[in-house]
Amino acid sequence: MDIRHLRYFVAIANAGSMAAAAKKVFVTQSTLSHQIAQLESELAVVLFERVGRGLVLSVNGKEFLGYARSVLQQIEEGKAALTNLQTVSAGKLHIGVIHSFLTHLIPDVSASFLKSYPNIRLFVRELTAIEIEAQVESGELDMGFAFFPLASDSRQIISEHLFDDILALAVPARHELAAVASLKFKQLSNIPLALMSQRFTTRRLLDSMFLRAGIKPNVIIEIDSVDALQRLVERGVACAFLPRLTTKPSAKIKFVTITDPKPVRGAGLIWRGGQFRSAAAQAFARELTLLVNAGR
């Protein structure tokens, strides 16, 4: 068995047909078929079953696929380690970021990073924290930047804390609570709220706090956008929890501090455990850390 066998096997599994896979790996179908036959002979199992004009993984193929992908990924990481061992050179860096940071911190750190390392191409994707964790674990992303706690309990994912962000209750400027300095969490039971859905770390954190306080929140609208939450508050529709660090100033809203307990989210970097961190990824992390510390 050699690396070529594994590459061809994964290519067919991804493409679902011999013809499509052959185009992706730039070999003839006959060559691809011959190589897979060799692999199946060595493993003494059938890896694919024909369904119509396509191919699907057999039970054995499904079991073997994860191992094959892992081997190929480790080889790519080894090559990257050799390429970027000493300096940040030409290459690509894939980063997953939640919306709050995409519009607030990332433009500044990206500008600073690209000025220092002009030969690196940055690919920044806006994702939920759950999506970031999944794609860091799969190797699609080199790193992520999101709020904690992590949704995944996978040992493959590790977090690097950078700072804490406090959530405050944003209320319309003419709301009766606008003159209130602080509220206890249990006093929020009758206040009309706009919250994000449970796809987001912030909502899951708030739900756990509502549960501990023994109250049921009066959620009149769910909307998956921090900007939209702020607009709803400004229009007097509802109150919402917004991050003090990244919320744009507005004369139409007032912030009320929530205590007992105080809604605090940790934030920082998400890495794949045991994965080689390229010099580019480490450099970007340093730039981000410097920017965050300077803003404290």
Side-chain angles (χ1 to χ4, degrees):
M1 183 189 307
D2 60 30
I3 301 304
R4 180 176 50 188
H5 288 135
L6 298 182
R7 292 192 190 280
Y8 291 167
F9 167 66
V10 171
I12 298 172
N14 290 339
S17 76
M18 197 74 71
K23 291 181 180 180
K24 288 185 175 296
V25 295
F26 305 104
V27 298
T28 64
Q29 291 186 52
S30 60
T31 297
L32 197 57
S33 178
H34 178 69
Q35 294 293 323
I36 294 302
Q38 286 185 343
L39 179 60
E40 290 179 325
S41 176
E42 183 170 347
L43 295 174
V45 297
V46 174
L47 296 173
F48 293 101
E49 296 174 353
R50 185 168 294 280
V51 177
R53 295 184 178 181
L55 294 174
V56 296
L57 289 166
S58 66
V59 173
N60 293 313
K62 291 177 181 178
E63 178 69 19
F64 187 61
L65 181 60
Y67 294 101
R69 283 175 170 165
S70 178
V71 170
L72 293 175
Q73 182 173 323
Q74 289 183 21
I75 291 172
E76 291 303 314
E77 290 173 2
K79 290 164 63 177
L82 294 175
T83 301
N84 299 304
L85 188 59
Q86 300 298 330
T87 61
V88 182
S89 57
K92 299 177 181 179
L93 185 59
H94 296 264
I95 305 170
V97 183
I98 60 173
H99 175 77
S100 296
F101 299 145
L102 183 70
T103 58
H104 179 67
L105 293 172
I106 291 300
D108 291 336
V109 70
S110 296
S112 176
F113 176 83
L114 291 173
K115 183 177 180 180
S116 300
Y117 309 105
N119 294 324
I120 299 294
R121 291 186 63 191
L122 279 180
F123 296 85
V124 182
R125 298 185 60 195
E126 179 186 346
L127 301 165
T128 66
I130 292 176
E131 291 170 334
I132 291 172
E133 292 172 34
Q135 292 187 30
V136 167
E137 183 173 12
S138 69
E140 295 174 70
L141 296 174
D142 297 299
M143 59 192 295
F145 183 33
F147 286 119
F148 305 146
L150 298 179
S152 171
D153 59 0
S154 171
R155 295 182 180 180
Q156 295 290 330
I157 299 296
I158 60 175
S159 60
E160 180 181 337
H161 182 272
L162 293 183
F163 63 92
D164 287 326
D165 188 29
I166 298 174
L167 288 168
L169 185 69
V171 304
R174 296 184 179 181
H175 195 280
E176 60 183 9
L177 293 176
V180 176
S182 66
L183 286 173
K184 292 186 177 180
F185 212 90
K186 63 182 179 181
Q187 294 176 280
L188 302 176
S189 58
N190 296 319
I191 298 174
L193 294 174
L195 298 179
M196 302 179 86
S197 72
Q198 293 184 347
R199 292 175 56 231
F200 294 84
T201 303
T202 298
R203 175 61 185 275
R204 297 194 299 274
L205 170 66
L206 290 172
D207 280 350
S208 68
M209 298 179 78
F210 283 122
L211 185 63
R212 290 201 302 272
I215 62 174
K216 183 177 181 180
N218 179 21
V219 183
I220 65 171
I221 181 171
E222 285 191 356
I223 191 165
D224 288 350
S225 165
V226 175
D227 293 339
L229 288 176
Q230 181 169 343
R231 292 287 185 87
L232 288 170
V233 176
E234 291 173 342
R235 294 185 179 185
V237 175
C239 301
F241 284 92
L242 295 177
R244 295 301 302 265
L245 178 65
T246 58
T247 300
K248 300 175 183 177
S250 171
K252 296 181 179 180
I253 64 174
K254 299 291 183 180
F255 282 105
V256 178
T257 299
I258 302 302
T259 62
D260 195 27
K262 182 179 292 185
V264 178
R265 302 175 298 181
L269 300 173
I270 298 174
W271 303 95
R272 183 168 181 263
Q275 180 183 28
F276 172 80
R277 299 180 186 179
S278 69
Q282 294 182 64
F284 190 90
R286 286 194 299 270
E287 293 280 353
L288 179 57
T289 303
L290 289 173
L291 180 64
V292 168
N293 290 336
R296 286 179 175 177

